Amino acid sequence: MIIMLNPRHVTASAPGKTILFGEHAVVYGKPAIAAAVDRRAYVSIRKREDLRTHVNVEELGVSGFLNLDKGSIEIEKGENNRKGILKYVLRALRKINAEDGLEVTINIDIPIGAGLGSSAAVTVATIQAAAVFNDIKLTRDEISKLAHQVELEVQGAASPIDTTLSTHGGIIYLSRDAEETITLDIDSEIPIVIGYTSKRGNTGKLVESVRLKMETHPQVMIPLFNSMEALTNGAREALTNGDHEMIGEFMNINHGLLDAIGVNTQELSKMVFEARKTGALGSKLTGAGGGGSIIAYCPGKIQEVVNCINEFENAFKVNISREGVRLE
Ligand code: PMV
């Protein structure tokens, strides 16, 4: 006779992401390159004795009860601007028709609100954990699609970049109009440092501010997006060939163009220029901007750049995560 000593328990994890090239341009049908990073969100699900569903997001200090049947949330604790994460968990669980009576514990080892895709990572890991818990088999493409639907429902708008990378891992080239995602086969390590400020950027507002500029000065903005497209395509080649100087140069040009469309900030610029002064071959803001994070390309200078940025903001080295969502 087999005695089950532990109650059934499933943990899944999924990585965050960083955009290497092409953010904002991707909203106008241009290509982008993004990579999954080795910082993950972990979601554990086990059965509760009662029929309530409770979620605890440790790093955010947020917890609450979800009613999966009715689709409602009752906050137990958490600051107003942090409890939004429960909406992703609720929608993710409902996507696979999970039933109430779950204890969900979430740990996020990804800086939150820094454009590193923590909400997508939580969504993807929740879908995978809940699917396995309920004996449902989903392909990666199905997980990615469901997670993107959750992001659209919660945020109103979202490109599939975050959910694709959290699900599949690796480095992807998102083609024109996001019709196709091509995994880039890059063997060599990509020496990247991420710097982030505690000041958050609001993706929705920044995308809207760029849209207004596009409406007002299309003749100025269109060539900027065309340049971003050209540099993203050049960077794809440079990454594939391991051409460090070229990768760095394209990052610097991309940063200048992001500044031109109005999404840079003084804090981001300080990190970008200090990183270059300390030996990064290139650096740029990453994601929506207006706060959030930068990436610096630092062959042979990783620790120096981390130390330099850590003196006035926060920085860490990231490795590209080849692995997407997985069971722990
Ligand atoms: O900062 P993030 O990770 O939310 O990135 C936003 C990227 C944009 O291109 C500005 C918007 C998008 O949906 O692609």
Side-chain angles (χ1 to χ4, degrees), residues 111-112 114 116 194-198 271 292-294 309 313-316:
I112 292 154
L116 298 173
I194 290 188
Y196 65 100
T197 95
S198 46
M271 289 193 282
S293 25
I294 67 127
I309 295 177
E313 295 281 6
N314 311 289
F316 57 93

Side-chain angles (χ1 to χ4, degrees), residues 12-322:
S13 74
K17 68 94 204 2
T18 181
I19 299 178
L20 302 180
F21 296 96
E23 52 275 269
H24 286 288
V26 74
V27 175
Y28 297 92
K30 306 297 188 191
I33 297 174
V37 296
D38 61 350
R39 301 285 293 248
R40 294 185 156 254
Y42 298 81
V43 177
S44 295
I45 299 185
R46 64 178 169 79
K47 193 98 200 121
R48 271 170 72 91
E49 293 304 320
D50 58 21
L51 284 179
R52 303 189 79 189
T53 294
H54 182 252
V55 182
N56 187 20
V57 192
E58 309 222 335
E59 287 71 19
L60 288 179
V62 169
S63 66
F65 288 94
L66 309 181
N67 186 321
L68 299 181
D69 194 31
K70 293 201 181 111
S72 58
I73 300 174
E74 184 194 316
I75 302 292
E76 193 178 35
K77 67 171 179 1
E79 286 168 32
N80 262 345
N81 60 349
R82 311 203 115 189
K83 60 197 188 194
I85 193 72
L86 296 181
K87 292 187 196 161
Y88 293 88
V89 180
L90 173 72
R91 303 260 182 179
L93 292 171
R94 275 166 66 91
K95 278 283 168 228
I96 60 141
N97 300 320
E99 287 179 358
D100 278 309
L102 305 174
E103 183 64 39
V104 184
T105 306
I106 300 181
N107 291 97
I108 309 176
D109 179 32
I110 303 168
I112 292 154
L116 298 173
S118 58
S119 60
V122 167
T123 305
V124 165
T126 303
I127 291 174
Q128 173 67 311
V132 171
F133 192 83
N134 287 287
D135 287 325
I136 297 168
K137 275 208 163 59
L138 293 176
T139 63
R140 282 185 192 268
D141 283 341
E142 285 166 337
I143 295 173
S144 175
K145 216 174 263 165
L146 289 174
H148 186 224
Q149 284 169 13
V150 170
E151 289 229 309
L152 287 174
E153 286 168 16
V154 177
Q155 297 167 199
S159 78
I161 294 181
D162 291 21
T163 42
T164 302
L165 283 157
S166 283
T167 308
H168 294 279
I171 304 177
I172 60 164
Y173 172 90
L174 203 77
S175 73
R176 221 185 142 83
D177 292 320
E179 272 165 4
E180 209 187 347
T181 56
I182 298 162
T183 301
L184 300 185
D185 232 350
I186 298 161
D187 290 335
S188 53
E189 210 192 310
I190 301 184
I192 285 178
V193 168
I194 290 188
Y196 65 100
T197 95
S198 46
K199 193 178 149 208
R200 301 177 55 159
N202 178 320
T203 301
K205 281 197 186 141
L206 287 149
V207 168
E208 176 59 13
S209 75
V210 173
R211 195 187 62 75
L212 282 176
K213 279 203 179 67
M214 184 72 158
E215 233 174 65
T216 322
H217 323 285
Q219 69 287 13
V220 175
M221 296 292 278
I222 289 168
L224 296 177
F225 287 126
N226 288 339
S227 295
M228 290 189 205
E229 176 174 31
L231 73 83
T232 299
N233 286 330
R236 178 184 174 179
E237 222 175 288
L239 280 164
T240 311
N241 300 334
D243 187 339
H244 296 316
E245 300 285 336
M246 198 70 88
I247 295 166
E249 180 154 313
F250 282 135
M251 275 193 186
N252 292 343
I253 298 172
N254 202 166
H255 183 73
L257 294 172
L258 287 165
D259 189 26
I261 67 168
V263 299
N264 192 18
T265 68
Q266 203 174 340
E267 291 85 0
L268 294 172
S269 260
K270 183 166 181 206
M271 289 193 282
V272 158
F273 286 102
E274 289 297 326
R276 288 184 204 167
K277 220 163 77 187
T278 315
L281 289 181
S283 52
K284 63 181 272 293
L285 73 88
T286 176
S293 25
I294 67 127
I295 51 173
Y297 188 69
C298 317
K301 292 281 181 193
I302 292 207
Q303 204 48 51
E304 289 88 337
V305 173
V306 168
N307 293 347
C308 156
I309 295 177
N310 265 334
E311 277 177 28
F312 57 98
E313 295 281 6
N314 311 289
F316 57 93
K317 168 189 195 291
V318 284
N319 294 308
I320 305 304
S321 172
R322 311 275 158 195

